[in-house]
Amino acid sequence: MRNATIRQLQIFSVAATHLSFARAAEKLHLTHPAISLQIKQLEEVFGTMLFDRIGKRVFLTEAGEILLDHARQILQSLKDADESLMALKGLKGGRVAIAVTSTAEYFAPGLLAEFRKEHADVRVRLLVDNREEVSRVLISNEVDLAIMGRPPADMDAEAVSFAPHPLVIIAAAGHPLAGRARLSVKDIATEAMIVRESGSGTRSAMEEFFLQHGIKPRIGMEMGSNEAIKQAVVAGLGISFISQHTLGLELSAGRLTVLKVEGTPVMRRWFLVRHKSKRLTPALGAFWDFVLEFAPDYLKKLA
């Protein structure tokens, strides 16, 4: 290890995480040959192959898996040391890397804007993706914390619920069911459902809701974003099960309506999640406390 450079470990960690030299080159703003050269040199240092090359794909060898675990620990220790030294010297600033599920992107930027009013010198990196990817980057310690609807089950997590998360069934404002004072789940069973992709927390909640009522929903379309779903519903292509926190503009403009279906809104919770072993730097601690204090009232305005 003493002959490996920090830069080589950084490059290896990104390539190993994505199992792609091309993706590593893109994320690190390097050329593909430069990534390959650094990996080759690292393999020479350790005297063993770190990747198996099969066709155009790469896979971690057993040695690569062992090195990835240690490389992540080393890189995180260096990051922690940097933050600690800044705090010790009384320097302002710090960094916070946050991952949020795609549904939370409707309020996360607003939270960050309010946080930056008090901590303008803190650098914030925000990643938005579906639940599976947010769980992955959280577990692999690529981010400091996450805002999501359900903590990963396979992680030793510190998870704190900070606000209710209502999920509702929506239709276009002119839909025949829109004016009904009360609907049973059977009333919507034949409607085409426009749903999120597998791996989405909203999709899982929808499937659980219909399963509890003994009904198999009729899936009309599957889409990868809440925005696409809302536009499809507005266009009359079907109805959808979606977070109420995503609907502010469309409801106020009268383009969408929330159907009054029995058992809805389905109430879930928003969680702030980090590794239990994650040390709270001054910047991370400030953001953690800010979300727990400020976010509940902020989200009430969106529900």
Side-chain angles (χ1 to χ4, degrees), residues 78-94:
L78 288 172
K79 179 182 175 184
D80 290 345
D82 183 39
E83 297 285 356
S84 296
L85 289 171
M86 289 176 66
L88 184 63
K89 294 177 180 179
L91 297 176
K92 293 183 178 181

Side-chain angles (χ1 to χ4, degrees), residues 8 40 53 55 58 62 83 91 94 115 132 145 147 160 188 227 233 246 250 253 255 260 265 276 282 284 293:
Q8 286 173 335
K40 181 180 179 181
R53 283 81 164 173
V58 296
E62 183 178 2
E83 297 285 356
L91 297 176
F115 175 73
E132 283 190 351
L145 57 83
I147 294 176
V160 181
I188 63 170
E227 281 303 306
V233 174
T246 69
E250 289 79 10
R255 304 180 71 198
K260 298 175 182 178
K276 274 191 176 179
L284 182 54
E293 179 180 350

Side-chain angles (χ1 to χ4, degrees), residues 9 12-14 16-18 60 65-78 136 139-142:
L9 293 178
F12 166 74
S13 180
V14 175
T17 296
H18 295 283
L60 280 175
E65 292 176 352
I66 292 172
L67 179 59
L68 178 59
D69 182 54
H70 289 286
R72 284 172 173 167
Q73 293 180 45
I74 291 168
L75 295 173
Q76 184 59 44
S77 293
L78 288 172
R136 186 193 68 77
I139 291 170
S140 63
N141 205 32
E142 295 176 47

Side-chain angles (χ1 to χ4, degrees), residues 64-256:
E65 292 176 352
I66 292 172
L67 179 59
L68 178 59
D69 182 54
H70 289 286
R72 284 172 173 167
Q73 293 180 45
I74 291 168
L75 295 173
Q76 184 59 44
S77 293
L78 288 172
K79 179 182 175 184
D80 290 345
D82 183 39
E83 297 285 356
S84 296
L85 289 171
M86 289 176 66
L88 184 63
K89 294 177 180 179
L91 297 176
K92 293 183 178 181
R95 295 178 295 239
V96 180
I98 307 160
V100 303
T101 53
S102 51
T103 299
E105 72 176 314
Y106 289 86
F107 63 82
L111 284 179
L112 292 179
E114 294 296 328
F115 175 73
R116 290 294 301 279
K117 288 179 182 179
E118 299 180 14
H119 304 277
D121 49 344
V122 173
R123 287 172 289 167
V124 178
R125 179 166 66 90
L126 179 65
L127 168 71
V128 180
D129 216 311
N130 67 21
R131 184 181 185 279
E132 283 190 351
E133 180 64 11
V134 168
S135 296
R136 186 193 68 77
V137 296
L138 185 64
I139 291 170
S140 63
N141 205 32
E142 295 176 47
V143 295
D144 298 312
L145 57 83
I147 294 176
M148 58 198 310
R150 189 173 73 254
D154 53 348
M155 174 184 169
D156 189 17
E158 178 75 24
V160 181
S161 170
F162 64 86
H165 180 197
L167 295 152
V168 296
I169 297 174
I170 59 169
H175 193 281
L177 297 178
R180 298 272 293 272
R182 183 173 177 80
L183 296 165
S184 69
V185 181
K186 289 183 178 179
D187 290 329
I188 63 170
T190 59
E191 296 290 328
M193 295 292 299
I194 304 173
V195 300
R196 286 291 303 272
E197 76 285 4
S198 295
S200 160
T202 303
R203 173 70 172 266
S204 298
M206 182 209 73
E207 291 172 344
E208 183 180 333
F209 171 75
F210 280 104
L211 181 63
Q212 288 174 348
H213 288 83
I215 290 176
K216 183 177 181 180
R218 180 181 160 227
I219 306 300
M221 292 183 180
E222 184 177 285
M223 296 184 173
S225 76
N226 293 308
E227 281 303 306
I229 286 176
K230 289 189 294 182
Q231 293 305 314
V233 174
V234 168
L237 296 175
I239 65 175
S240 186
F241 183 97
I242 198 168
S243 168
Q244 191 165 335
H245 287 148
T246 69
L247 301 175
L249 292 176
E250 289 79 10
L251 290 180
S252 62
R255 304 180 71 198
L256 290 174

